[in-house]
Amino acid sequence: EADLEECVASGRKAIVFSQWVDTIERIAERLGRSGPVRYATEQYHGRVPHNRRDGVLDRFKNDPDCNVLLMSYGAGSVGLNLQFAGYVFLFDRWWNPAIEDQAINRAHRIGAAGPVTVTRMLCTGTIEERIDDVLRQKRELFAEVFESDTAPRSAGLTRDEIFDLFSLRTADGPLRSVA
């Protein structure tokens, strides 16, 4: 929440992405009852009727008191230009790094007024750490395949890596632990 406080104090706007509508609604509830800092939020996701969506975006863009837009990755994936937002928070991680890039690009567009600060949230000691590692590996593999003249080192996950995603055991015993 400290990062959002900084955003509000600076007068800039933030987009918070989640893949879960229920999570977005819980975040909205939490921000609505925050202590000394008052957040005026809007929500943009699959449960928002299509005839209300333009109004949500218009308020977020033009109302100086509306500083946080809570958005689902899915609803925010189609052609939205939100270049007036200076902060993007990825509350939970998506398995496909291109989806995250697309979310970030909602704010990082031609005509953006200044830099865009991107924050990826991560719960340590959970599968989210492994998701983060897999996303990093996917980005590296993409760079190797499309930005390099050399052959990629791997085209997929090994059996041990797949089992390690869920802390599963093989018949030979436990797999290595994720540090």
Side-chain angles (χ1 to χ4, degrees):
E1 229 176 289
D3 290 333
L4 281 178
E5 286 180 23
E6 177 184 320
C7 174
V8 171
S10 71
R12 297 184 75 195
K13 295 182 180 279
I15 306 169
V16 179
F17 282 96
S18 176
Q19 56 186 317
W20 310 109
V21 174
D22 289 342
T23 299
I24 290 170
E25 290 174 345
R26 291 184 76 184
I27 293 170
E29 180 183 317
R30 166 75 187 234
L31 294 177
R33 59 183 155 92
S34 288
V37 177
R38 183 182 154 282
Y39 299 97
T41 64
E42 279 288 349
Q43 296 181 42
Y44 192 96
H45 49 70
R47 292 185 194 159
V48 175
H50 287 280
N51 62 353
R52 277 201 55 239
R53 291 184 182 186
D54 286 343
V56 166
L57 296 178
D58 185 60
R59 177 170 180 242
F60 179 61
K61 179 179 182 179
N62 296 312
D63 183 346
D65 294 327
C66 182
N67 39 34
V68 180
L69 178 63
L70 305 170
M71 179 175 279
S72 69
Y73 286 101
S77 66
V78 183
L80 296 177
N81 294 317
L82 304 170
Q83 68 271 21
F84 45 85
Y87 292 83
V88 173
F89 296 93
L90 304 179
F91 185 78
D92 45 44
R93 304 301 303 275
W94 193 279
W95 283 95
N96 182 346
I99 298 296
E100 288 188 346
D101 292 345
Q102 191 174 46
I104 293 165
N105 287 337
R106 297 292 141 240
H108 196 269
R109 296 274 193 205
I110 294 173
V116 175
T117 302
V118 178
T119 303
R120 290 174 171 89
M121 306 293 191
L122 183 69
C123 291
T124 58
T126 68
I127 193 170
E128 283 190 338
E129 282 186 311
R130 184 65 182 129
I131 292 170
D132 186 61
D133 189 43
V134 168
L135 287 170
R136 183 185 44 73
Q137 291 173 9
K138 282 183 173 184
R139 289 183 191 282
E140 289 171 2
L141 179 60
F142 182 86
E144 282 183 46
V145 170
F146 293 104
E147 298 170 7
S148 172
D149 293 335
T150 62
R153 65 172 170 78
S154 169
L157 297 174
T158 67
R159 178 180 153 228
D160 286 349
E161 289 172 328
I162 291 170
F163 274 58
D164 195 37
L165 282 171
F166 304 101
S167 299
L168 299 175
R169 297 173 177 265
T170 65
D172 302 330
L175 295 172
R176 65 177 168 77
S177 64
V178 177

